[in-house]
Each structure stands twice: as C-alpha cells, then as structure tokens.
Amino acid sequence: MAPRSKKDNEIIKQKRREQIIRHALESFAKHGYHRTSISEIAKAAGISKGLMYNYFDSKEDLLIGVLEFVMPQAVDTIFNSIAKKAETLTPRELMAFGIERFFEVMKDQADLWKLSMSLAMQVSDMPKIHQTFVQMFDMTFRQIEQLLKATGMPDASLKARLITAQLDGIALHYFVMGENYDLEAVKKAFIQELIS
Amino acid sequence: MAPRSKKDNEIIKQKRREQIIRHALESFAKHGYHRTSISEIAKAAGISKGLMYNYFDSKEDLLIGVLEFVMPQAVDTIFNSIAKKAETLTPRELMAFGIERFFEVMKDQADLWKLSMSLAMQVSDMPKIHQTFVQMFDMTFRQIEQLLKATGMPDASLKARLITAQLDGIALHYFVMGENYDLEAVKKAFIQELIS
DNA sequence: TATCTTTGACCAACCGTTCAGTCAAAAAAT
DNA sequence: ATTTTTTGACTGAACGGTTGGTCAAAGATA
C-alpha cells in the first residue's frame, strides 16, 4: 500500500532536515536567534514557510535541532585531533597542541560560538537549551581534566576549571574586541604560562 | 515664558530618566532585550508607553541609555574600593582584594552581567552598543594592567589580558552552570595562583 | 492663557503558527 | 502496459497576537 518506499522517505527527510539546519545556523549566527524569522530561514533554504513545521515543531525546537547537530561536531573536531596525536606526544605537548586546535576552531566557527555564548546567557525560559549547554561545557571540562591528570598534576579538577574558563574568556574578549585584540600574542602567552 | 523654571524641568526630566532606566534594566535583565516590550517597561515604571518616547528615541536608544548609566557604575564600584585601600596594602594584596570585590559584584549584579554578555556577542547590527562594550572592557583591562605594573611585573599588558579573560571566563561558566559551579573553590584557586 | 508633560487609543508591520489544498511519484489494479 | 488509487512532501494564504512607534487631546503648572 505504500506509494513510496519508506527508506526513500527517510533519506529525503534527513537531507531536508540537514538542509534546513544548515541555513538556520547561518541565519541565527549572523543576526541572532530573535532577530531571525522563520520566513527568512525558509527563503534561504529555498522551501516554503509551512514546510518548516513538518520538520520542527517550533522555532525553539529548530534552535535545539541546530545546536544538537552542530555543537558536538565542534567539540569532536578538537578532541579527535588530540586523540590522534596522543601516542606520539607527551601530555604537556598534547595540551599545547590542543590549545592551538581550540583557537583554530574558535576562529573558524566564530559565528556559532558567538551565538552559543549569547544564548547561554539567556536560557532561563528554555530549559532544554540550557541543558545542552551544560552538557557541552562539562564535556570540554572533563576532557581537559583528564589531560591534566595524565601530566600528574595535583588538583587537576580545579586547574581544569581555571583553564577552560580562561579559554572561554579569551574567546569572549576576542569576539567583542575583534581586530583590536591581539589573539596571537595572548595565545602565545597563555601556552607559555601553561607549559612552564 | 516657561511656566516652570527650566532648572526644575531639567531635574524632573533627569529623575524620570533614571526611573525609566532602572525599570528597563530590571526587565531587560530578567527576560532579555528582545523578549521585553516597551509597554512592559512603561507599566513597571508606572508611566504611559507614549511618554517613554519623550525620553528615548527608540528601544535601542533606551538600551544604550541603560548600559551607559549602569555599566560604569559596576566598574567604579570595584575600582573605587580598590583605590581606597591603595595606601594600606601592597600591590599584591591589592590584587587579591580586587578579585574578591570582582566576584562580589558579579554575584550581586548577575542579571546585568548576563544581559551584557549576551548582548556583547550579538552587536553587529548595533555599532553604538558595540562601542560601549569595547570601552568598558578596555577600562577594566587598563586598570588591571596598572595594578600589575605596580607590582613590577614584566609583560604586564599581556598578563592583564590573561587575567581579565580568566575573570570573565569564570563569570561565564558560573552563569551557565549555576549552582553546580563551585565558585568559592575556583575563586580560591585563582587567587592562589595569582599571588604565588 | 501659554507652555510643557502625560496619556492611551491607534496604526502599520511583523511574527510564529496553522491548514486546506496541490501535485508528482509510487503502488495497486486492470 | 495502462489506468487508477494512494501517499505525503510541499505550498502559501490566512490568522491571531504582539510589537515599536505616533499623535491628537487632556492635564498640570505657573
């Protein structure tokens, strides 16, 4: 009785979802969540406004979809590249390498980061989104904690808190100050202080 | 020709402005800029919507007014209390004292901070607001830079960048994680590392 | 009366969301 | 192979609601 194979439909749906997510991310990142309308995203994605609601129940649901799709990718990009080098580098070198990767990803995905930080500050009415952020913060924290423990550092947990805070703080300042912020110099100083 | 002396009018206007700003800040901080309507603020301030536009040209203008009124206050609160103790403490002790004050203000004015950070990430369409943030970031940076120079530290400028980033990063994490974040322990570790 | 302040009804624009209906393509029937 | 039926992805007009912003009129003050 099925007019179209279920497999085909699943594939089509998945592709569409990703297509919408990609354009939604772009618009959200560029103009912010509240300033972006569903119509805008639909237009950018080349589909009708109504179809958006076949894939996402609401605007907030779309936002959750975007974040859940894209945030783990960013974290994995950093820590996968660390894992690859884990065998050939000392824990200390590994840290330095990880920091470098962090700043690369931060610069590459600046828009996503800005959006995330902006949202993270105002999620009191969006518990699901809040949870997403807490999970991601926790993920990076534990990764760094583990790296520090490998170097035999005492108080690795607290130190990891300080380092992750510093990383995100630098990102914050870089995003606000823009070109006036000498990211390279700060990065160098940060690594220097960390390794010594 | 004026039925009321111009001086009186100026004073009244100033008071009204502050009254509006205070309630606007409260609403903006609680629900975010976009989620807060002019009517809401007017109601909270006990005046009509129309009157709002006698004091501020637009919603964005009101936001600028709020930030320019309230942000220097927060910064001054911290650094004035430092200045008072400047004579009786060593630069190193002064730093520790300043950090303590920083965290106090951060906790007291959490809502304002959240609002500021959230806005700071998405000001590409609001150049005036962007400038306000750059100025304030620069202010705190230079204050800390000066403190560090007083301790005779080399590379005081870069070190100041790292410290301010770490402070704001801790604030960021604290705001997102909430109760799950052991702010006291992090603060202690931060000061410990800074002083030693 | 003359001047300034304040009001709140009003407006046009926009928003997220819904839904009745379309249509190409796949399955079933012939 | 041809026709008929069934599907569901897709459209876009429409809706209820909200928004930032305006303005003529009323109120207050001197």
Side-chain angles (χ1 to χ4, degrees), chain B:
Chain B
M1 293 294 174
R4 202 180 297 171
S5 82
K6 282 193 178 175
K7 239 197 234 168
D8 284 353
N9 275 333
E10 283 302 314
I11 291 172
I12 288 176
K13 268 217 159 192
Q14 199 53 38
K15 292 237 167 190
R16 266 265 190 274
R17 245 187 91 93
E18 279 193 34
Q19 176 194 6
I20 294 173
I21 283 179
R22 233 179 293 277
H23 285 97
L25 169 63
E26 199 180 318
S27 294
F28 284 159
K30 200 174 279 176
H31 307 113
Y33 173 69
H34 292 286
R35 290 174 118 81
T36 303
S37 69
I38 294 284
S39 315
E40 253 178 75
I41 299 169
K43 201 185 217 175
I47 62 170
S48 71
K49 189 161 83 163
L51 191 54
M52 299 283 291
Y53 288 85
N54 277 25
Y55 295 92
F56 301 94
D57 292 338
S58 66
K59 193 185 179 186
E60 188 178 326
D61 189 46
L62 169 60
L63 177 60
I64 293 171
V66 169
L67 293 179
E68 284 183 345
F69 179 84
V70 97
M71 278 171 44
Q73 279 185 2
V75 178
D76 284 0
T77 301
I78 297 175
F79 289 103
N80 279 345
S81 68
I82 291 181
K84 271 186 198 162
K85 299 253 181 174
E87 303 296 323
T88 62
L89 295 179
T90 68
R92 224 166 261 270
E93 289 169 330
L94 217 54
M95 282 290 298
F97 175 74
I99 306 299
E100 295 275 3
R101 291 294 291 155
F102 173 90
F103 283 111
E104 275 175 39
V105 172
M106 183 195 84
K107 280 170 87 170
D108 284 351
Q109 318 233 17
D111 283 342
L112 167 63
W113 278 60
K114 284 190 208 174
L115 173 67
S116 300
M117 283 194 182
S118 178
L119 287 170
M121 292 293 95
Q122 308 241 314
V123 286
S124 53
D125 297 340
M126 302 170 157
K128 277 186 189 171
I129 292 179
H130 180 254
Q131 221 177 353
T132 308
F133 282 112
V134 171
Q135 279 173 12
M136 209 199 66
F137 273 44
D138 210 54
M139 205 181 341
T140 58
F141 163 69
R142 272 186 299 200
Q143 294 267 17
I144 289 192
E145 188 188 20
Q146 221 166 356
L147 272 177
L148 287 176
K149 273 186 183 160
T151 69
M153 175 172 293
D155 293 324
S157 189
L158 262 181
K159 184 70 182 168
R161 291 266 177 234
L162 287 176
I163 288 176
T164 51
Q166 201 158 14
L167 282 173
D168 285 331
I170 292 171
L172 178 77
H173 285 181
Y174 170 65
F175 290 144
V176 172
M177 312 285 279
E179 299 168 358
N180 299 335
Y181 195 75
D182 191 351
L183 183 60
E184 278 308 311
V186 173
K187 185 176 82 181
K188 240 174 128 180
F190 177 69
I191 294 177
Q192 179 62 31
E193 196 176 87
L194 193 67
I195 306 262
S196 64

Side-chain angles (χ1 to χ4, degrees), chain A residues 55-87:
Chain A
Y55 294 92
F56 301 95
D57 291 338
S58 66
K59 193 184 178 186
E60 188 178 326
D61 189 47
L62 170 60
L63 177 60
I64 292 172
V66 169
L67 294 180
E68 284 184 346
F69 181 82
V70 97
M71 276 172 43
Q73 280 185 2
V75 178
D76 284 359
T77 302
I78 296 175
F79 288 103
N80 279 346
S81 68
I82 290 181
K84 272 186 200 161
K85 298 252 182 175
E87 304 296 322

Side-chain angles (χ1 to χ4, degrees), chain A residues 1-5 36-38 49 53 58-59:
Chain A
M1 293 287 177
R4 202 177 296 172
S5 80
T36 303
S37 69
I38 295 284
K49 197 158 64 157
Y53 287 85
S58 66
K59 193 184 178 186

Side-chain angles (χ1 to χ4, degrees), chain A residues 166 170 183-196, chain B residues 155 158-159 161-162:
Chain A
Q166 201 158 16
I170 292 171
L183 183 60
E184 279 307 311
V186 173
K187 186 176 81 182
K188 239 173 128 180
F190 177 70
I191 293 177
Q192 179 62 30
E193 196 177 270
L194 193 67
I195 306 263
S196 66
Chain B
D155 293 324
L158 262 181
K159 184 70 182 168
R161 291 266 177 234
L162 287 176

